[in-house]
Amino acid sequence: MARSALLNVMVQAAMKAGRSLARDFGEVQNLQVSLKGPADYVSQADRKAEEILFTELSRARPGYAFLMEERGAVAGEDDQHRWIVDPLDGTTNFLHGLPFFAISIALERQGQVVAGVIYNPAMDELFTAERGGGAFVNDRRLRVSGRAKLSDAVIGTGVPHLGLGHHGNFLVELRNVMGEVAGIRRIGAASLDLAYVAAGRLDGFWEDPLQPWDIAAGSLLIREAGGYVSDRDGGQAMFENKSVVAGNEQIHRALLRTIKKPLSPR
Ligand code: IPD
Ligand code: CA
Ligand code: CA
């Protein structure tokens, strides 16, 4: 598959940062058994990956703005383009030696995401999408799953942890969904959850709250794989409302309805 110049830039940056993360992941696995644990090491790995991405992307496209998890917003002279980057999505997995983590890079043009790359260096899986050009994993075309009923579906989600999200609301949603589906998974990296929906591995996904850098690239992948993505109200204000619901047409619609049901005593 021939990649556009833009996707090439994004893939090269992701691969370079991915090599750095993969080296550090090897070290983290050694540090697991030490008393202090690898926490400081991991935040360094995160910052190092972000530095590589910032340097590579700025060099290839001078003047583009950035929204990065660690750095925050960086203004650029070009007011049409913005990179949205999570240098290490799935930090808790990385810290615990679980190989589900990824680099997520999206490019916004005039407020619309036009390209996305998600790279998991531990599994060497590279997910790419360009608006109107389809979605791919390692050059194989992606398509969302064809399962139409929640009762056949495996659904991903994120479980809010200490200091994050509304635990009571999540438990209501979880109870609603678990009563209707074949299985629920908590993979621990929202970018990969979305990539897995695009790949048809998960039939659907919902999570609240999430940040733009968790969802920008993955949402494009899903759309380009024929799927549907919205905020929890069915609108397109995912960055503002910080919520995501995704799936094929039927599962997306069914999930939107199910998470909102009032809690029934059962
Ligand atoms: C987190 C992961 C996780 C999701 C959290 C995110 P991080 O990102 O995507 O799956 O449940 O809400 O914050 O902190 O590992 O970059
Ligand atoms: Ca993240
Ligand atoms: Ca992160």
Side-chain angles (χ1 to χ4, degrees):
M1 185 201 82
R3 279 195 199 113
S4 70
L6 170 65
L7 265 186
N8 262 330
V9 161
M10 296 167 75
V11 168
Q12 292 315 317
M15 291 292 205
K16 188 160 183 191
R19 285 194 289 277
S20 170
L21 281 183
R23 274 194 301 274
D24 287 334
F25 186 61
E27 189 55 28
V28 162
Q29 288 172 309
N30 294 331
L31 291 172
Q32 278 322 324
V33 289
S34 76
L35 201 58
K36 193 160 159 269
D40 291 348
Y41 194 83
V42 170
S43 46
Q44 268 182 47
D46 195 351
R47 279 198 300 273
K48 232 192 296 172
E50 189 172 287
E51 189 61 43
I52 293 171
L53 293 167
F54 185 72
T55 308
E56 293 297 310
L57 296 172
S58 322
R59 186 182 297 150
R61 294 289 186 273
Y64 284 17
F66 281 85
L67 176 65
M68 304 188 101
E69 181 168 15
E70 309 304 327
R71 246 167 246 246
V74 180
E77 287 143 30
D78 179 331
D79 60 2
Q80 307 286 301
H81 292 95
R82 177 170 78 147
W83 299 112
I84 304 178
V85 177
D86 192 341
L88 171 55
D89 185 39
T91 324
T92 307
N93 284 343
F94 189 91
L95 176 68
H96 286 258
L98 297 163
F100 295 93
F101 58 89
I103 289 158
S104 176
I105 308 173
L107 180 68
E108 234 181 28
R109 182 174 296 138
Q110 295 171 335
Q112 188 172 54
V113 176
V114 293
V117 167
I118 295 171
Y119 180 50
N120 175 349
M123 296 180 177
D124 198 24
E125 278 199 317
L126 176 71
F127 297 89
T128 56
E130 226 171 336
R131 203 172 131 78
F136 298 83
V137 60
N138 295 351
D139 295 342
R140 184 168 57 78
R141 182 113 196 192
L142 295 180
R143 187 83 207 145
V144 290
S145 97
R147 293 187 190 87
K149 293 192 298 204
L150 274 187
S151 54
D152 295 327
V154 171
I155 303 296
T157 188
V159 182
H161 49 76
L162 187 68
L164 185 82
H166 193 299
H167 295 197
N169 287 355
F170 174 72
L171 286 172
V172 173
E173 292 171 7
L174 183 64
R175 172 130 182 210
N176 284 340
V177 175
M178 72 196 210
E180 308 268 343
V181 300
I184 295 185
R185 295 291 180 272
R186 197 300 189 243
I187 286 165
S191 61
L192 290 179
D193 284 302
L194 295 168
Y196 293 175
V197 172
R201 297 175 187 172
L202 292 173
D203 301 295
F205 173 73
W206 94 99
E207 185 166 352
D208 179 2
L210 282 175
Q211 301 297 328
W213 46 80
D214 297 315
I215 53 187
S219 305
L220 179 68
L221 272 159
I222 293 179
R223 281 204 201 92
E224 290 297 322
Y228 287 68
V229 191
S230 71
D231 59 32
R232 52 177 300 120
D233 299 320
Q236 287 302 306
M238 282 101 76
F239 291 179
E240 295 75 18
N241 295 348
K242 306 207 179 316
S243 65
V244 172
V245 180
N248 64 28
E249 187 177 4
Q250 295 89 340
I251 298 290
H252 174 252
R253 195 183 320 116
L255 264 182
L256 278 175
R257 186 172 5 93
T258 305
I259 59 173
K260 293 245 184 92
K261 279 200 313 208
L263 190 59
S264 60
R266 10 175 207 179

